Amino acid sequence: MTKPIIEVKNLAKNFGDNVVLKDITEQVNPGQVIVVIGPSGGGKSTFLRCLNLLETPTSGEVDFNGENLTTLDPKRVNELREQMGMVFQNFNLFPNMTVLENIKLAPMKVKAVDDAAATQRAHELLKQVNLDDHADAFPGSLSGGQAQRVAIARALAMDPKVMLFDEPTSALDPEMVGEVLNVMKELANQGMTMVVVTHEMGFAKSVADRVWFMADGFIQENNTPESFFSDPQTERAQDFLSKILM
Amino acid sequence: MKKKWVLFLTLVITLFTGATMMGTTAHAASDNSLAQVQKKGTLIMGTSPDYPPYEFQATVHGKTKVVGMDVAVGEKIAKDLGVKLEVKSMSFDSLLVALQTGKVDMVISGMNPTPARKKNVDFTHTYYQGGYSIVINKADKGIYKNKDSFKGKTIGAQTGSTMYNESKKQTTNTTVKGMTSVSDLILGLQSHKLQGVAMEKPSAEAYVSNNKELASVPSDFDLSASDTSASVAFKKGSTSLVNAANKSVDQIKKQNLVNKEYLPAAGKYLKTNTVNTSMLHYWKAFLKGVEYTLIITVCSVFFGFILGVLLALARMAQGGPLMTGLRWLATAYVEFIRGTPMMVQVMFVYFGLGLVVNLPALMSGIIAISLNSGAYVAEYIRGGINSVDKGQTEAARSLGMSRGYTMRYVVLPQALKNIWPSLGNEFITLIKDSSIVSIIGVSELIFQSNIVRSDTYRGVAPIAVIMVLYFILTFTASRILNFFERRMQHD
């Protein structure tokens, strides 16, 4: 049996009196693509952000490669974060830097990669996301789809073991969703471990190894995409699917 | 709210008790004064050089220096002590403070040994016995005869001087207006804001003989001998130094050196002075002013910015009690600095801090203005940091960047861009506000213009010149800032 790369144990998160996550225990194995779906406000984003400690869990633990993030010192957390790339709904590119500089910044500052090597790697990644001709552009001049692909390249530049996607296509115009999903699919095909929060059911069906259905602060159902979409086990999931598939 | 108050008060009280205690200890440990001066090899004389023929600025071989009969007295004392004389210029108001805080060893500035002053400093015997005159416009000769002719009118006198106090006491229905420098008073007279200016006889004569528009009348003040005499002031308790200086002073009196040698010598400087009063002739003085104004501004902007960044970060510190304490401290600092005038801060740093370490005026000025600017810059930067989207921090942190790296490479550059116009504004304000350090005798533009004014007896022209110079400085600065602002635009 393979050792899980991420293990979540009894994870809970409150914002004041507002309980967002209640007692989640799940695990992600290397190479797996997990798609987290569910109604808005169900805690999906908070859950994802707990995985790399952008949110501090109220209780429970998050293990990455066997190390419990919640008890580590900040320095070690930074080191482990390098290994978990994250892509945000709003891209969060650095507007004052060119595309190339966006990608080079973290490798050069955090990993002390020299400029030539960082530049070369950045160009490779840009080719991978079909944007090498935009290397010297500033983020302000990119379309949403282009910006999100740069954000993916930027996260990949740290050579992460896991990629976390927080609704990567929700802020995009419909015609741009495809180009981003294609890049993600390719990444999955290369064997990247991925946890994707999304509303793209098509992507979930065709790429996911497991679908986690999340609502009311719980993972209500953990299933293969085939059986989840054809034969959901919980009433909550049935209700959700009936609404979105219509 | 209540807690905030207590903290604030404690801070202020500690600051003050600290300062006073230092004051008393400095007092108590005094009477090796003579030995100290001799060990040092220099005797520092403080004076307010806008009072010819007592002391004034003259251009000697292309260099501006302080001359006059008081300087000659100072040189005599220094020579008799076997040390070198160093002259430090500052405003008359600041002289005694400078003496008490050890910025200068003695004050010779036509100063009268009044009982009030005697409480705070020690005086030598008098080296000169003068009298008072009132300078008026020549056109008014005949209208004003003496102090009693100014009913319903305004006369001026140097703030903090004996003339000022006596003018207040011995006139009725007369407004007495105080100004720091005599050249300002003369200007006030010529522009008819004042009808007369009370000053010592030798000064009055010097002004009248150098300006055809002026005339002098006797003051007829009822004065005791101590009010019209001039003495050398030393720090309270420095008896050995006073005794040594008294030997020189007694010689000066005995040989009548003031009237025989010192006054004629001073008169010669006055003559050469008024030959060329065109502003162009003084370009070196103005250039020096521009140079110092720029030095003060650039240094203060640099240190103020660094301090501002640190304060802004401290104000946003979060975590344990240490961080909370840091936040409180930074907040208290910013509030305190913003709530007190910069002029007071400059004086506090120069005179107050001077009790602990003897800082030169220029450095004190730069420190004070940096400390002040830092508080304002901190607020701009805090606003700038808050204006950067939270997603930027999250993106950087998710890439494994530490808190510090995130701040340095991602947040601050963007914050800087957002607040650039405000920072530019602060820079330009500083160019202008640096003029405040003229009160502690730093030769920046205002100070230099005052020198030129007392040198040339021309009131308006030097002001016009520095006005244009300031504008050139600020306009150039704002052009440069705009250039960088355009370069930072990416979207």
Side-chain angles (χ1 to χ4, degrees):
Chain A
M1 200 188 134
T2 48
K3 215 175 120 219
I5 188 157
I6 298 175
E7 247 187 308
V8 179
K9 293 173 191 161
N10 306 105
L11 174 69
K13 175 71 182 173
N14 310 339
F15 290 107
D17 293 337
N18 184 14
V19 182
V20 181
L21 300 178
K22 311 164 195 167
D23 196 28
I24 296 176
T25 302
E26 292 292 347
Q27 59 187 48
V28 181
N29 292 322
Q32 262 190 333
V33 176
I34 309 287
V35 172
V36 184
I37 60 174
S40 300
K44 303 188 298 292
S45 282
T46 307
F47 170 68
L48 196 70
R49 291 155 62 85
C50 281
L51 295 186
N52 67 350
L53 242 58
L54 279 186
E55 299 289 355
T56 313
T58 309
S59 65
E61 64 179 76
V62 178
D63 293 358
F64 183 81
N65 253 346
E67 290 183 76
N68 181 2
L69 288 175
T70 55
T71 57
L72 294 174
D73 65 286
K75 208 171 154 232
R76 184 69 189 143
V77 171
N78 289 341
E79 284 166 11
L80 292 180
R81 274 203 188 114
E82 289 172 31
Q83 303 177 31
M84 288 185 273
M86 189 164 197
V87 174
F88 300 84
Q89 184 176 348
N90 294 316
F91 331 133
N92 293 343
L93 293 179
F94 308 134
N96 54 330
M97 301 176 202
T98 63
V99 165
L100 200 66
E101 286 164 350
N102 260 278
I103 298 172
K104 278 157 60 181
L105 180 73
M108 286 176 67
K109 299 303 175 196
V110 180
K111 287 185 159 180
V113 176
D114 68 64
D115 188 59
T119 308
Q120 198 197 343
R121 176 79 177 122
H123 280 298
E124 281 169 25
L125 289 165
L126 281 173
K127 283 193 190 105
Q128 191 180 333
V129 298
N130 290 322
L131 278 171
D132 202 27
D133 48 340
H134 286 75
D136 296 318
F138 280 97
S141 67
L142 300 178
S143 72
Q146 289 170 332
Q148 195 59 296
R149 284 184 283 151
V150 171
I152 294 172
R154 180 176 68 177
L156 289 174
M158 294 301 281
D159 297 318
K161 296 201 172 80
V162 178
M163 284 286 283
L164 309 175
F165 291 86
D166 188 6
E167 304 203 24
T169 56
S170 298
L172 299 181
D173 290 337
E175 74 267 24
M176 290 173 184
V177 171
E179 61 192 62
V180 173
L181 290 182
N182 283 336
V183 168
M184 290 167 63
K185 263 179 210 166
E186 233 171 83
L187 208 54
N189 290 338
Q190 287 165 13
M192 176 62 76
T193 311
M194 291 162 62
V195 181
V196 184
V197 171
T198 187
H199 294 293
E200 296 295 332
M201 297 306 150
F203 180 82
K205 272 182 199 164
S206 60
V207 183
D209 294 311
R210 304 290 297 181
V211 169
W212 294 357
F213 175 72
M214 195 167 173
D216 309 324
F218 284 110
I219 307 264
Q220 309 261 357
E221 189 167 338
N222 176 347
N223 212 333
T224 60
E226 296 79 26
S227 34
F228 177 76
F229 285 107
S230 56
D231 182 22
Q233 299 298 302
T234 56
E235 209 175 299
R236 195 76 178 73
Q238 286 159 12
D239 180 48
F240 174 75
L241 286 173
S242 73
K243 274 180 194 152
I244 59 153
L245 293 176
M246 274 192 277
Chain B
M1 205 54 216
K2 205 174 167 190
K3 246 169 83 184
K4 208 175 194 169
W5 255 108
V6 173
L7 190 89
F8 180 76
L9 273 176
T10 327
L11 198 86
V12 173
I13 290 166
T14 339
L15 214 69
F16 268 85
T17 42
T20 359
M21 267 161 58
M22 285 181 297
T24 36
T25 45
H27 254 264
S30 244
D31 208 32
N32 46 359
S33 51
L34 178 62
Q36 258 179 5
V37 166
Q38 277 168 336
K39 194 176 153 207
K40 192 162 60 146
T42 51
L43 182 65
I44 303 170
M45 155 179 168
T47 193
S48 168
D50 55 354
Y51 204 58
Y54 281 84
E55 50 268 320
F56 52 101
Q57 306 265 352
T59 315
V60 184
H61 305 307
K63 274 192 168 174
T64 325
K65 64 181 264 194
V66 181
V67 295
M69 66 176 235
D70 280 352
V71 180
V73 170
E75 261 157 11
K76 164 95 175 134
I77 294 173
K79 199 180 149 207
D80 292 349
L81 292 177
V83 294
K84 270 187 70 177
L85 181 76
E86 190 187 322
V87 180
K88 237 184 203 179
S89 310
M90 59 190 72
S91 71
F92 192 80
D93 299 337
S94 308
L95 283 172
L96 289 187
V97 191
L99 187 61
Q100 282 165 327
T101 55
K103 292 277 162 197
V104 299
D105 299 316
M106 64 175 178
V107 168
I108 317 182
S109 200
M111 191 172 272
N112 310 127
T114 59
R117 284 183 184 142
K118 275 181 186 159
K119 275 186 202 149
N120 295 310
V121 293
D122 285 345
F123 282 101
T124 62
H125 306 153
T126 59
Y127 60 88
Y128 184 72
Q129 183 78 37
Y132 291 164
S133 293
I134 297 175
V135 175
I136 55 170
N137 287 311
K138 203 171 225 168
D140 294 340
K141 219 176 173 180
I143 306 178
Y144 305 117
K145 301 256 187 290
N146 60 17
K147 67 175 165 73
D148 300 319
S149 334
F150 292 91
K151 286 204 169 60
K153 308 285 184 190
T154 308
I155 61 174
Q158 204 174 8
T159 316
S161 70
T162 319
M163 285 76 74
Y164 179 77
N165 297 331
E166 295 306 322
S167 302
K168 278 210 141 160
K169 260 189 250 162
Q170 301 197 25
T171 56
T172 39
N173 284 329
T174 304
T175 314
V176 180
K177 191 157 170 44
M179 291 191 195
T180 318
S181 89
V182 180
S183 23
D184 282 335
L185 289 166
I186 294 293
L187 181 63
L189 178 67
Q190 289 187 297
S191 55
H192 301 280
K193 297 202 172 52
L194 306 170
Q195 278 73 48
V197 178
M199 64 178 90
E200 298 212 35
K201 220 180 202 165
S203 299
E205 273 154 21
Y207 273 101
V208 170
S209 65
N210 279 285
N211 193 329
K212 288 186 194 72
E213 309 290 307
L214 302 176
S216 83
V217 294
S219 64
D220 290 348
F221 280 136
D222 180 20
L223 295 166
S224 67
S226 78
D227 285 335
T228 55
S229 59
S231 289
V232 184
F234 286 96
K235 195 169 173 176
K236 192 92 188 157
S238 45
T239 323
S240 56
L241 200 50
V242 174
N243 288 341
N246 266 334
K247 281 184 199 144
S248 311
V249 171
D250 291 345
Q251 257 180 37
I252 291 171
K253 280 283 259 193
K254 207 169 146 202
Q255 299 171 17
N256 199 12
L257 284 176
V258 170
N259 287 322
K260 267 202 211 145
E261 287 181 24
Y262 299 165
L263 275 176
K268 258 186 220 152
Y269 282 121
L270 279 174
K271 279 268 174 354
T272 53
N273 240 359
T274 42
V275 173
N276 191 345
T277 61
S278 92
M279 288 302 109
L280 224 54
H281 182 68
Y282 285 90
W283 69 272
K284 268 187 187 159
F286 287 115
L287 186 70
K288 191 179 174 200
V290 170
E291 187 191 326
Y292 274 85
T293 292
L294 282 179
I295 289 175
I296 295 163
T297 310
V298 170
C299 291
S300 305
V301 163
F302 179 74
F303 293 116
F305 180 75
I306 292 175
L307 180 67
V309 172
L310 295 179
L311 281 172
L313 294 180
R315 280 201 76 170
M316 296 192 301
Q318 249 154 38
L322 189 76
M323 290 296 162
T324 311
L326 201 65
R327 194 170 72 235
W328 274 106
L329 215 63
T331 309
Y333 177 84
V334 169
E335 293 297 335
F336 187 75
I337 293 291
R338 295 205 302 175
T340 50
M342 199 204 263
M343 189 170 180
V344 178
Q345 293 159 8
V346 168
M347 295 204 288
F348 188 82
V349 169
Y350 186 56
F351 297 121
L353 226 59
L355 292 169
V356 194
V357 270
N358 200 358
L359 295 169
L362 176 66
M363 202 193 281
S364 304
I366 290 174
I367 290 174
I369 295 184
S370 303
L371 290 176
N372 179 286
S373 178
Y376 287 89
V377 170
E379 288 302 276
Y380 293 137
I381 291 180
R382 198 164 63 102
I385 289 174
N386 287 336
S387 77
V388 175
D389 180 33
K390 215 173 152 250
Q392 295 288 310
T393 308
E394 291 183 345
R397 297 307 302 276
S398 78
L399 288 166
M401 291 173 79
S402 65
R403 223 180 255 275
Y405 274 14
T406 302
M407 192 48 90
R408 184 163 147 208
Y409 295 112
V410 175
V411 177
L412 274 183
Q414 294 184 52
L416 198 63
K417 184 192 149 203
N418 291 347
I419 60 168
W420 190 256
S422 315
L423 281 182
N425 218 357
E426 171 71 12
F427 181 58
I428 286 167
T429 308
L430 271 192
I431 294 180
K432 295 180 284 175
D433 282 359
S434 65
S435 59
I436 284 176
V437 302
S438 62
I439 53 165
I440 55 171
V442 180
S443 27
E444 48 67 70
L445 266 176
I446 297 272
F447 188 85
Q448 292 298 93
S449 77
N450 283 336
I451 285 177
V452 175
R453 288 169 69 198
S454 59
D455 231 28
T456 56
Y457 302 93
R458 291 179 67 179
V460 185
I463 297 179
V465 171
I466 60 163
M467 211 164 167
V468 172
L469 288 176
Y470 271 120
F471 181 71
I472 292 173
L473 288 182
T474 52
F475 190 71
T476 314
S478 80
R479 292 291 100 183
I480 294 172
L481 290 164
N482 282 348
F483 171 77
F484 283 110
E485 187 175 345
R486 275 197 305 277
R487 269 192 42 175
M488 281 192 287
Q489 297 300 341
H490 299 307
D491 32 35

